[in-house]
Amino acid sequence: MSRVRIAPSLLAADVARLGEEVRAVERAGADWLHLDIMDGHFVPNISFGPGLVKGLRAHCALPFDVHLMIAPADPYLAAFAEAGARVISLHPEAGPHLHRSLQSIRALGCQAGVVLNPATPVSAVEHVLDLVDLILVMTVNPGFGGQSFLASQLPKIAALRRMIAASGREIALEVDGGVTAETAPACIAAGADVLVAGTAVFGAPDYAAAIVALRGGG
Ligand code: DX5
Ligand code: ZN
């Protein structure tokens, strides 16, 4: 497998210096920038919207990995595509027609992702694999950064890796929540190839060292 990609989550950045923060993680070797969109309804927290995503686009060249924690999501897909998202991921619980939502994301020219909450089974994505470029496994309940990693999700990561391999498709397998240098190796061993990290990068004194540590120190 190719080198694991690291996607720092902007949620843990210094909100008063966002432009500087995204430039800093890009310089530090991040692969993607993870952007958590929360509506205070689907999850009990509010973050930011497409305007801010668009504003940051000029500050770095990293692919923007947009994680929608909003319901409904469909009315906002075009705005995030126009804001410069490379990947747009949504939760199956955000609307009644996941298949249609994934089609919409691809029609907008973006890669499409499905996010599985801790209680959401692997089967939620099984029958839409042909429309999926990325599967994101939540290892915390979505809504807040800085929570503890749920090791109960490791078998799910492994099951998804097997499902992806059996499909023969190019689908990225991403993990989000409580990922640190301590928990990353178990995620990678289970088959993850993209790691989201908020606190473990933006809360660290040296972003480059933090990213190297998340990759396993290599
Ligand atoms: C939680 C978000 C995460 C969050 C991760 O709802 O989806 O992306 O920023 O933060 P850490 O890495 O601090 O758990
Ligand atoms: Zn996220």
Side-chain angles (χ1 to χ4, degrees), residues 23-133:
R23 290 192 296 274
V25 284
E26 182 170 24
R27 271 198 312 274
D31 298 283
W32 294 357
L33 187 70
H34 186 81
L35 296 143
D36 290 299
I37 313 300
M38 304 178 179
D39 66 355
H41 164 76
F42 184 73
V43 290
N45 195 8
I46 298 176
S47 59
F48 47 82
L52 188 138
V53 175
K54 189 172 189 171
L56 289 175
R57 196 54 290 181
H59 289 268
C60 85
L62 296 176
F64 278 6
D65 174 33
V66 172
H67 173 191
L68 297 181
M69 287 162 273
I70 62 176
D74 291 349
Y76 303 99
L77 299 176
F80 285 102
E82 282 158 22
R86 163 83 63 91
V87 186
I88 300 178
S89 301
L90 43 70
H91 291 247
E93 297 85 356
H97 299 293
L98 178 63
H99 185 279
R100 181 181 292 146
S101 300
L102 296 169
Q103 283 180 319
S104 302
I105 294 170
R106 285 213 174 151
L108 289 162
C110 296
Q111 295 177 9
V114 174
V115 192
L116 303 181
N117 276 333
T120 305
V122 163
S123 59
V125 71
E126 189 177 0
H127 300 289
V128 291
L129 286 183
D130 57 323
L131 289 173
V132 167
D133 301 290

Side-chain angles (χ1 to χ4, degrees), residues 126-151:
E126 189 177 0
H127 300 289
V128 291
L129 286 183
D130 57 323
L131 289 173
V132 167
D133 301 290
L134 175 143
I135 301 171
L136 172 51
V137 178
M138 292 307 302
T139 42
V140 298
N141 281 300
F144 302 94
Q147 302 181 77
S148 298
F149 182 82
L150 297 173

